[in-house]
Amino acid sequence: MSPGEVRRAMREAVLESARRPGLAVALALPGLLSAWLVVAPAHLPLARTLDHLPADAAPGASDLAVAVPGLLAPPDLPVLLHGGELSELVRTLAGHTLPAGVLAAAILLGLLHGPLQCAGLDALRHRTTGPGALLAAGARYALPASALSLLGLAGYLFSAGLGLRLLALARAGGAPDRAHAAVVAAIGAFVLLLLFGVRSLLDISRARLVERGPHDWIRPALAALARLPRLAPALALLYLGYGAARALLLAGAWSAAMLATGSWPGLAAGFLAQQALAAAAAALRLARLQAVRKLLRLAEVSSAPPAYKLELTGGS
Amino acid sequence: MQAAGSEASVPVEPAGATSSAGHHATGSPGPVPAGFEVRELRVPLDATARVTGLRLLFPAGFGRKADRLAQEASFALATLARLWGPPPESGFSLLLSPPELLPPSLSDRPQVVLVERFGDPFREEAEALCLALARQWWRNLFAGDGSEEPYLEEGLVTYTAARLFAVRHGGRPAGVRIGGLALPLPLPPLTPFEAMRARLLAGAPIDPLARDRGSYGDRASRALLTHDGMALALAEIASRLGEERFDQGLALFAARHRGGRARADDLVRALSAVAVDDLWPLWQELTGEPGLSDFAVTRVRSEPDPSTPGRMVSQALIVHRSGPRLPLVVELRFADGSRQRVFWDARAAWLRLHATGPRLVEVHLDPGESGLLVHGKADDARLVVPDPGPRRRFTQRLRFFAQLVLEALADLA
């Protein structure tokens, strides 16, 4: 499959997804609602503390970086904010409420994402409109799509665990500088390959699920997975392209969040900008799935035997 | 490690492979373990001919790493000599090794520096190197094993290591470890003393060489939690005296007691000799109470003065919650932009301030954040009239941050 064909599939998928803004909003809505629910318990302690803080002691942009200390900071070094003004409050929030809430909500949202993505793809494919059709499609794909999501989650965890285990083994090996660096790079590449495989498996299976329906998708999905070695370069290009575009969108959304002021018009403008960009990111996610579907079909068409017989005869 | 910016790179000269056992009286790692190499260096301390010996032990194949750390060590030793006078006669030794290659019999030696296999020295390596050199510096400078007043030695060692690290690496973004992986994430760096304060607050272990607190016989050692507490007490004195004056005092202390016994009282006497104010009350406070000093602005009010139209009567109540009673500055900010600073010695449990004149807007404790042992919290500053703006903005950011994290995590499934 040529890079030109991949680019064309990507472009068509993005255009199709962009023509359905309602679909993008519907896909982004669960994330927004979950975030509001997760942060709701923090409202009262924040009001009690922040409302009496002078402007130059109020939290700034860098303060959000400490919200997940287990991920961003060395484990034995609790983070002090600049000036230490809100250290206690944010550490309390970050230490208990947020990580647990975010993790629980992410798992639930992850399970919800699968059916929603399939429903969105179904809506693109059959050009259905309205929330009723979307919900009906979501209900139809709920079971197999959730099972796929769990499978994907297990695949990611396995890949990450295997990578860490291999790194620990390499550390204990005692190889000198350069050899060790090469081993670490090889392990990194191997883990990336595994993650890529899991991602492809999920996307291909979902595309097949939508095309064949929930009762007859496993065998076609396995058949499609058999084509993965041939499809791999095209998929890698696709993921790189969409990943870069999504990163840009999310960086824009993050900047909008940081620029919002404390006044109501400023807050409203910031909120709308963020949600527009978040919806665009959701549309891009749907476009990726649509592009995978198109690539699969292209691969099938190019490898299928012709449906006619051509005989060349010539006269003298 | 290569020198960056304006930092001077100090040359290191090889000094041959032999060294007498007496030359490294306390720092010698003894016989070379199997699979390790040894390198003897002479480190110039300044522009004159002063040098000190440095012995490096490292696993075979780690020569490049050892070279980088030798540069780092030579810079540290030159800095120490510049700040606090000539080094101990016995020279220095370092045992550089990844944890998995370190023989168990050597793991508790003071000269051990745990290193990664490759790359420039990471934050932890640089800190461990500074700690090993500082430990040898102070331990070998005085007679005795430091067991009489261990908090003095441990505090000096930790303070010195933090100063060395700040001189060499202060302000640079630090790498972090996630699940055993060292990553160069651009996090806002903590100064060594901020990091100590954070560790003290969390009650986290200090370093692998830390002793059991119960083994200390004297009250001050237990109260100050040894390493970090005493180092922060010294840093607090340095911040109030001024670093230059503090360095003069410490150099005087080192010169007076070189080769002999040294006690904490001797240190305070030496520092008092260069100080303007009497240091003893501050010292008593610092060594008498554990933890950080916590103050709070609990009430602020500003109302029209019934007797004088156009004038406001304001009140602020500041309380001492816990920890040592360290003197601090209270700043009142008024509606006309004027500011008034009040110095409070914190002898009483609370302080009520009365002001008449313009409307009081905010009250700040320790506005310059000069008190290292003063615990900075959200209750250290307070508005007279609440303002929901910062809370709305912060909540919106928090929600959006949660939304992004949720979307990213959910997208994996």
Side-chain angles (χ1 to χ4, degrees), chain B residues 344-356:
Chain B
W344 182 33
D345 63 7
R347 293 270 170 243
W350 51 268
L351 169 75
R352 180 175 285 134
L353 292 170
H354 297 267
T356 50

Side-chain angles (χ1 to χ4, degrees), chain B residues 277-287 325-326 347:
Chain B
D277 300 321
D278 183 13
L279 276 182
W280 286 102
L282 177 64
W283 180 253
Q284 293 300 329
E285 201 59 55
L286 286 171
T287 54
R325 294 175 184 275
L326 297 178
R347 293 270 170 243

Side-chain angles (χ1 to χ4, degrees), chain A residues 105-242:
Chain A
I107 290 173
L108 288 175
L109 197 62
L111 291 178
L112 193 64
H113 254 237
L116 264 182
Q117 292 278 69
C118 291
L121 193 61
D122 189 84
L124 276 188
R125 184 165 173 255
H126 296 112
R127 299 178 197 279
T128 54
T129 52
L134 190 71
L135 284 176
R140 198 163 59 248
Y141 298 122
L143 199 61
S146 303
L148 274 175
S149 294
L150 284 176
L151 190 68
L153 196 62
Y156 286 124
L157 289 177
F158 173 76
S159 309
L162 185 65
L164 288 176
R165 179 80 192 125
L166 288 175
L167 275 179
L169 286 177
R171 278 174 70 90
D177 288 14
R178 283 186 183 173
H180 185 69
V183 170
V184 169
I187 292 172
F190 176 64
V191 171
L192 273 180
L193 199 66
L194 280 181
L195 294 175
F196 170 74
V198 176
R199 175 86 267 172
S200 311
L201 182 145
L202 273 180
D203 284 354
I204 289 175
S205 304
R206 280 180 188 154
R208 273 291 172 259
L209 173 63
V210 171
E211 287 208 335
R212 299 299 182 102
H215 302 296
D216 178 30
W217 62 279
I218 295 181
R219 201 177 300 163
L222 290 176
L225 284 174
R227 291 201 185 87
L228 190 56
R230 274 186 55 207
L231 272 174
L235 286 179
L237 198 62
L238 187 80
Y239 291 160
L240 281 177
Y242 280 121

Side-chain angles (χ1 to χ4, degrees), chain A residues 52-54 56-57 83-85, chain B residues 197 240 293-300 315-322 324 326-333 339-346 349-353 360 362-383:
Chain A
H52 290 279
L53 265 188
D56 60 351
E85 295 88 354
Chain B
R197 192 161 66 162
R240 287 165 194 261
S293 188
D294 186 13
F295 296 93
V297 186
T298 55
R299 204 178 307 154
V300 283
Q315 271 190 14
L317 182 64
I318 294 107
V319 298
H320 169 255
R321 286 198 193 279
S322 62
L326 297 178
L328 86 161
V329 171
V330 182
E331 187 175 270
L332 305 177
R333 298 182 184 173
R339 295 177 181 204
Q340 193 176 346
R341 288 192 168 195
V342 178
F343 183 77
W344 182 33
D345 63 7
W350 51 268
L351 169 75
R352 180 175 285 134
L353 292 170
L360 179 66
E362 355 175 316
V363 178
H364 288 251
L365 301 183
D366 190 24
E369 293 175 17
S370 55
L372 273 169
L373 282 170
V374 176
H375 184 188
K377 288 205 301 191
D379 57 11
D380 285 358
R382 197 168 173 90
L383 280 175

Side-chain angles (χ1 to χ4, degrees), chain B residues 143-391:
Chain B
D145 60 359
S147 58
E148 288 175 30
E149 282 186 310
Y151 73 99
L152 173 66
E153 184 184 293
E154 297 297 347
L156 279 172
V157 166
T158 311
Y159 174 80
T160 304
R163 277 284 298 277
L164 281 178
F165 186 82
V167 169
R168 181 69 162 174
H169 299 280
R172 286 191 205 169
V176 295
R177 281 167 203 286
I178 297 173
L181 287 177
L183 300 174
L185 284 184
L187 284 177
L190 288 177
T191 70
F193 294 115
E194 281 174 333
M196 278 183 203
R197 192 161 66 162
R199 286 197 297 253
L200 255 193
L201 280 171
I206 312 304
D207 66 39
L209 301 174
R211 299 183 218 177
D212 175 21
R213 274 179 63 202
S215 69
Y216 292 103
D218 56 307
R219 187 176 70 109
S221 287
R222 289 196 301 272
L224 287 167
L225 303 175
T226 65
H227 295 239
D228 281 351
M230 182 66 192
L232 278 172
L234 293 176
E236 183 76 45
I237 296 175
S239 137
R240 287 165 194 261
L241 277 185
E243 217 161 58
E244 196 176 333
R245 209 180 276 264
F246 180 82
D247 290 342
Q248 287 170 11
L250 209 52
L252 182 65
F253 168 66
R256 275 182 184 171
H257 303 283
R258 190 182 175 84
R261 303 265 174 186
R263 293 172 178 278
D265 288 357
D266 300 326
L267 173 62
V268 183
R269 263 185 223 108
L271 291 172
S272 296
V274 297
V276 179
D277 300 321
D278 183 13
L279 276 182
W280 286 102
L282 177 64
W283 180 253
Q284 293 300 329
E285 201 59 55
L286 286 171
T287 54
E289 185 84 26
L292 300 183
S293 188
D294 186 13
F295 296 93
V297 186
T298 55
R299 204 178 307 154
V300 283
R301 210 167 53 192
S302 194
E303 292 162 347
D305 185 352
S307 60
T308 315
R311 209 168 64 159
M312 306 291 281
V313 180
S314 308
Q315 271 190 14
L317 182 64
I318 294 107
V319 298
H320 169 255
R321 286 198 193 279
S322 62
R325 294 175 184 275
L326 297 178
L328 86 161
V329 171
V330 182
E331 187 175 270
L332 305 177
R333 298 182 184 173
F334 296 94
D336 64 352
S338 61
R339 295 177 181 204
Q340 193 176 346
R341 288 192 168 195
V342 178
F343 183 77
W344 182 33
D345 63 7
R347 293 270 170 243
W350 51 268
L351 169 75
R352 180 175 285 134
L353 292 170
H354 297 267
T356 50
R359 186 165 55 81
L360 179 66
V361 178
E362 355 175 316
V363 178
H364 288 251
L365 301 183
D366 190 24
E369 293 175 17
S370 55
L372 273 169
L373 282 170
V374 176
H375 184 188
K377 288 205 301 191
D379 57 11
D380 285 358
R382 197 168 173 90
L383 280 175
V384 176
V385 180
D387 174 15
R391 187 237 311 162

Side-chain angles (χ1 to χ4, degrees), chain A residues 28 31-32 34-36 39 43 46-47 49-54 56 58-61 63-64 67-68 71-72 74-78 80 82-88 90-91 98 102 105-106 109-110 113 149 156 164 167 171-172 174-175 177-178 180-181 199 202 206 246 250 253-254 257-258 260-262 264 267 270-271 274-275 278 285 288, chain B residues 60-62 64-65 68 99-101 116-119 123-124 175-181 185 187-190 194-199 201-202 204-206 333 339 362-364 369 375-379 381-413:
Chain A
L32 174 66
S34 314
W36 279 62
V39 174
H43 179 77
L46 282 173
T49 318
L50 293 191
D51 285 3
H52 290 279
L53 265 188
D56 60 351
D63 303 336
L64 287 177
V68 192
L71 289 178
L72 295 181
D76 62 339
L77 195 64
L80 280 184
H82 289 304
E85 295 88 354
L86 272 176
S87 54
E88 288 262 310
V90 176
R91 199 179 312 130
L98 265 185
V102 166
L109 197 62
H113 254 237
S149 294
Y156 286 124
L164 288 176
L167 275 179
R171 278 174 70 90
D177 288 14
R178 283 186 183 173
H180 185 69
R199 175 86 267 172
L202 273 180
R206 280 180 188 154
R246 249 174 83 83
L250 293 180
W254 184 249
M258 290 300 120
T261 60
W264 284 118
L267 284 174
F271 176 77
Q274 290 159 19
Q275 296 314 317
R285 206 166 48 220
R288 187 194 69 210
Chain B
F62 279 65
R64 276 173 40 211
K65 186 80 179 187
R68 291 196 196 102
E100 58 273 13
L101 297 185
E116 286 291 320
R117 291 172 173 280
F118 53 88
R123 186 186 179 100
E124 289 89 341
V176 295
R177 281 167 203 286
I178 297 173
L181 287 177
L185 284 184
L187 284 177
L190 288 177
E194 281 174 333
M196 278 183 203
R197 192 161 66 162
R199 286 197 297 253
L201 280 171
I206 312 304
R333 298 182 184 173
R339 295 177 181 204
E362 355 175 316
V363 178
H364 288 251
E369 293 175 17
H375 184 188
K377 288 205 301 191
D379 57 11
R382 197 168 173 90
L383 280 175
V384 176
V385 180
D387 174 15
R391 187 237 311 162
R392 286 192 199 123
R393 195 173 65 235
F394 184 69
T395 313
Q396 177 153 324
R397 286 178 187 172
L398 207 56
R399 279 192 202 116
F400 191 60
F401 179 68
Q403 189 180 350
L404 287 189
V405 173
L406 280 174
E407 289 285 346
L409 290 177
D411 195 28
L412 291 177

